[in-house]
């Protein structure tokens, strides 16, 4: 477990890759880090608990590549409305409806998941880049409603 971060109230960026001596990170408490703008916990496949994530309302950039536990708690991201960059590749998510509130997103990485319905993306009109490859998506018509979309990997 990574703890003791709560006193770092001015921290704006935090990157933790396979953080412990045995190479496994199981839980992290982010409570109190309300000034965070960038957070990357990618490549921590054993990470099961991310406490305080929903409190990080100033986050602009979030990387959770390979953190499969987020698939069970994607709703924790729905209040992070300042997010502009979100990376959720290799997480096993299937339902992305909780992402519909993230209307400031400019990039969304959803590659290698279990997604079949992307209708939740219709209101994300600021999206410029989107990775959807290696999912079960058959209907891409919602992408026509995204006027700023420049790069799509499907």
């Amino acid at each position: 477990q990574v703890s003791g971060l709560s006193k770092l109230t001015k921290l704006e960026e935090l990157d933790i890759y396979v953080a412990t001596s045995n190479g496994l990170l199981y839980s992290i408490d982010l409570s109190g880090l309300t000034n965070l703008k960038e957070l990357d916990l990618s490549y921590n496949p054993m990470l099961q608990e991310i406490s305080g994530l929903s409190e990080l309302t100033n986050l602009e950039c979030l990387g959770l590549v390979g953190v499969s536990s987020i698939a069970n708690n994607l709703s924790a991201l729905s209040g992070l409305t300042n997010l502009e960059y979100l990376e959720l590749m290799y997480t096993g998510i299937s339902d992305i409806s909780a992402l519909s509130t993230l209307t400031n997103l400019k990039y969304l990485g959803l590659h290698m998941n279990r997604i079949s319905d992307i209708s939740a993306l219709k209101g994300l009109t600021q999206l410029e880049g989107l990775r959807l490859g290696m999912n079960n998506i058959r209907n891409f018509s919602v992408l026509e409603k995204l006027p700023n979309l420049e790069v799509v990997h499907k």
Side-chain angles (χ1 to χ4, degrees), residues 117-138:
D117 180 8
I118 58 170
S119 60
L121 302 180
K122 69 181 169 228
L124 305 185
T125 56
Q126 299 302 312
L127 269 181
E128 297 172 3
L130 181 61
R131 287 198 73 178
L132 294 170
M134 305 299 286
N135 279 289
N136 300 317
I137 304 162
R138 300 285 180 255

Side-chain angles (χ1 to χ4, degrees), residues 37 39-40 59-65 82-89 104-109 127 129:
K37 291 183 179 179
L39 174 63
D40 198 343
L59 267 186
E60 296 172 1
C61 179
L62 177 59
L64 294 171
V65 176
N82 286 317
L83 275 180
E84 295 181 4
Y85 182 97
L86 179 58
E87 196 72 83
L88 294 171
M89 299 188 302
N104 285 316
L105 278 179
K106 292 182 179 175
Y107 172 82
L108 179 58
L127 269 181

